[in-house]
Amino acid sequence: MTTSNKKGVFITFEGGEGAGKSVQLARFAEYLQNHNQEVVTTREPGGTETGKEIRRLLVEGDKDKFDEITEILLFYADRRIDLTKVIHPALDKGKIVLSDRFNDSTIAYQYYGSNKFADRRIMDNLYQIVAGDFKPDITFLLDIDVKTGLERSFKKAQTMTNKELRFENVDIAFHERLRQGYLELAKQEPERFIIIDASGSMDEVSQKIIEAYEKRIKE
Ligand code: TMP
């Protein structure tokens, strides 16, 4: 089991396609650094060099290339590497760790979205093996309607050389289930989640994140 003498703070950014997580994470990191905080950023999949190789396997190519068990094992392998090499070492040093996606993505995409599992036990068991009782302190859920999110996502992919569209290339019902799944997770853990309406401009969304964070740390 992975434990950390947690002195730092672990904050995750979650959301469906095109919600703007990555941009918002970078802006939030800048805000924290301007407030003299030491920040480490990571992403899943792909927060480490080995993780990047796992990411390439996962996000490129045919959407049916893995059976569902193989797929989640790869996500948890990447998560384990991220936890042991990046997240826990940084938290042990008292840093704030920001992660672009974490375990809620697996529950939202592989459980709620893909609809291939009768229950969450396989993911919950794997999470226990990989992370033990460790959890993010705060999770920002960037919520956006599915159509707007996918339009943003395809537009961004046109500018990229590698076309990371394996998960975008599934039907719209998948993305609707995924969005509802995230909202359900947020309902189950209101003390951890902060839902952010991600439909506005980048500046508006950044402002909402900062305001919500400042409010949360005062509570
Ligand atoms: P990204 O959109 O943050 O770049 O993430 C890459 C893709 O991987 C995205 O389509 C969501 C998907 N994903 C899962 O399906 N399950 C997971 O556990 C994670 C971390 C990501």
Side-chain angles (χ1 to χ4, degrees):
M1 187 163 81
T2 310
T3 52
S4 151
N5 306 318
K6 222 168 103 328
K7 290 185 249 154
V9 184
F10 184 41
I11 301 175
T12 57
F13 283 67
E14 293 282 358
E17 306 302 328
K21 289 174 293 89
S22 312
V23 171
Q24 293 303 335
L25 183 148
R27 287 180 164 215
F28 188 61
E30 203 179 307
Y31 155 84
L32 292 172
Q33 279 154 350
N34 290 340
H35 287 75
N36 301 319
Q37 304 280 355
E38 276 196 90
V39 179
V40 168
T41 63
T42 187
R43 78 190 304 202
E44 292 193 4
T48 60
E49 282 309 309
T50 316
K52 280 183 197 153
E53 295 180 38
I54 300 178
R55 179 183 177 91
R56 196 179 51 71
L57 292 173
L58 279 163
V59 299
E60 294 180 20
D62 178 52
K63 72 179 165 55
D64 296 319
K65 71 177 179 180
F66 295 126
D67 72 86
E68 59 272 25
I69 302 284
T70 310
E71 183 170 286
I72 62 173
L73 288 171
L74 287 168
F75 279 117
Y76 280 103
D78 170 76
R79 185 155 305 135
R80 174 75 187 174
I81 302 169
D82 196 27
L83 279 163
T84 54
K85 301 280 185 211
V86 181
I87 298 172
H88 286 306
L91 291 177
D92 289 344
K93 290 186 191 126
K95 297 184 183 177
I96 300 186
V97 179
L98 306 181
S99 185
D100 187 343
R101 298 195 182 282
F102 191 62
N103 195 55
D104 299 308
S105 283
T106 315
I107 308 300
Y109 278 75
Q110 278 67 47
Y111 172 61
Y112 287 110
S114 80
N115 235 355
K116 286 182 184 153
F117 293 94
D119 61 44
R120 282 177 44 172
R121 257 176 303 179
I122 180 158
M123 291 126 190
D124 292 342
N125 289 341
L126 283 169
Y127 186 79
Q128 185 64 32
I129 293 165
V130 163
D133 296 329
F134 175 74
K135 272 195 172 199
D137 298 290
I138 297 174
T139 296
F140 288 112
L141 171 55
L142 272 54
D143 181 54
I144 190 158
D145 78 87
V146 167
K147 208 168 145 279
T148 315
L150 285 175
E151 274 166 15
R152 281 187 187 173
S153 194
F154 277 108
K155 216 181 258 175
K156 182 177 153 201
Q158 281 165 359
T159 65
M160 286 160 55
T161 45
N162 60 333
K163 302 280 186 246
E164 293 190 342
L165 286 170
R166 190 169 157 252
F167 286 93
E168 282 86 341
N169 284 332
V170 293
D171 61 302
I172 203 114
F174 168 93
H175 292 281
E176 288 290 357
R177 287 195 298 273
L178 152 69
R179 182 183 186 198
Q180 293 312 318
Y182 266 130
L183 292 170
E184 178 60 34
L185 290 174
K187 207 157 59 178
Q188 287 165 9
E189 286 184 80
E191 67 296 337
R192 172 162 72 88
F193 276 89
I194 297 176
I195 301 175
I196 301 286
D197 173 1
S199 61
S201 70
M202 278 185 202
D203 287 344
E204 283 163 356
V205 178
S206 306
Q207 200 49 39
K208 279 183 195 159
I209 291 173
I210 291 167
E211 278 166 18
Y213 174 74
E214 287 177 349
K215 185 162 173 269
R216 179 65 58 101
I217 56 173
K218 276 192 208 125
E219 278 167 4

